[in-house]
Amino acid sequence: QLQLQESGPGLVKPSETLSLTCTVSEGSITSSSYYWGWIRQPPGKGLEWIGSLYYDGSTYYNPSLKSRVTIFADTSKNQLYLKLSSVIAADVAVYYCARQVMVPSTVWFDPWGQGTLVTVSS
Amino acid sequence: SSELTQDPAVSVALGQTVRITCQGDSLRRYDASWYQQKPGQAPVFVIYGKDKRPSGIPDRFAGSTSGNTASLTITGAQAEDEADYYCNSRDNHNVLFGGGTKLTVL
């Protein structure tokens, strides 16, 4: 059964770059059937899509974060990466990676990783 | 506009039926998916492609759409259904989430 696991520093200083890794097991990120997404959730708030990566390397980002976000993958390691630059207090959130299905009529995410909390503080 | 709007909170008596709604212009063109999230856990999808239930999701969960409004209906709500529910759709290559609805089962 496909599993995703986020990892990375739990604490990032303001103005620095947040870097997270999503390790995918029991499935390949090179499958043409799927996208791979990053979603975040500030404490006590709702879900926010950050961006997604397709197996061919195409990326799609939330317009509100696009200037600060980079998503890429290392297919040899079956890992997905998120970089968010110039972090501020508003970037404090639980960050999730998830497998994404996007077809002409709809989109959904399944499964999700357990999430990792990132705090921004000096 | 590319937004999905949900009521912040809804309550239902145990065993009764509740409808959670999600409004947005993109729903006229794209189908919604729905997620259940319990405290401290990752979201779990309960409906995809407007009205399809993933394996393992009880048939008391149902999805539907009318115009610009998608609905998640729980028929015979159980105590374990108390959770936050999020709708999700797309607008071209953008992915949208609703703000979430907190469901309380009384």
Side-chain angles (χ1 to χ4, degrees):
Chain A
Q1 184 174 347
L2 185 78
Q3 293 186 338
L4 300 93
Q5 177 70 59
E6 304 89 349
S7 60
L11 180 64
V12 182
K13 291 181 169 58
S15 79
E16 295 192 345
T17 296
L18 176 162
S19 296
L20 295 176
T21 299
C22 173
T23 300
V24 179
S25 57
E26 306 302 328
S28 173
I29 64 172
T30 61
S31 169
S32 61
S33 299
Y34 302 108
Y35 293 69
W36 302 88
W38 285 96
I39 303 104
R40 70 180 184 178
Q41 184 173 35
K45 296 188 178 180
L47 302 169
E48 180 181 33
W49 172 68
I50 300 170
S52 302
L53 175 76
Y54 193 41
Y55 83 104
D56 64 358
S58 303
T59 51
Y60 305 92
Y61 298 132
N62 186 323
S64 69
L65 298 169
K66 185 175 182 178
S67 63
R68 298 194 292 135
V69 173
T70 303
I71 296 174
F72 59 101
D74 184 333
T75 57
S76 68
K77 296 182 178 179
N78 220 36
Q79 290 180 328
L80 180 70
Y81 305 98
L82 169 69
K83 289 190 179 296
L84 180 66
S85 64
S86 306
V87 297
I88 59 176
D91 295 317
V92 172
V94 174
Y95 286 75
Y96 296 100
C97 59
R99 186 178 66 179
Q100 175 184 342
V101 175
M102 191 149 72
V103 296
S105 61
T106 189
V107 61
W108 69 88
F109 294 88
D110 176 69
W112 297 57
Q114 67 183 29
T116 187
L117 175 64
V118 177
T119 300
V120 177
S121 176
S122 55
Chain B
S1 64
S2 297
E3 293 181 346
L4 298 177
T5 301
Q6 297 183 242
D7 292 328
V10 171
S11 62
V12 62
L14 184 68
Q16 296 304 300
T17 297
V18 62
R19 176 177 292 179
I20 299 169
T21 61
C22 172
Q23 287 188 304
D25 288 342
S26 64
L27 298 177
R28 295 186 183 278
R29 182 179 175 187
Y30 299 103
D31 296 332
S33 300
W34 290 91
Y35 304 84
Q36 177 192 72
Q37 186 181 35
K38 296 183 178 180
Q41 298 183 16
V44 173
F45 84 138
V46 295
I47 293 289
Y48 68 101
K50 183 173 70 177
D51 57 4
K52 300 175 183 58
R53 266 182 297 107
S55 173
I57 300 302
D59 61 6
R60 63 179 180 272
F61 290 88
S64 62
T65 299
S66 177
N68 72 336
T69 302
S71 300
L72 173 68
T73 300
I74 307 174
T75 302
Q78 302 299 302
E80 60 264 32
D81 299 335
E82 185 162 292
D84 294 327
Y85 291 86
Y86 294 90
C87 61
N88 165 222
S89 188
R90 60 178 293 191
D91 187 358
N92 295 318
H93 275 107
N94 287 332
V95 173
L96 309 174
F97 284 98
T101 297
K102 182 177 182 60
L103 176 65
T104 300
V105 180
L106 304 172

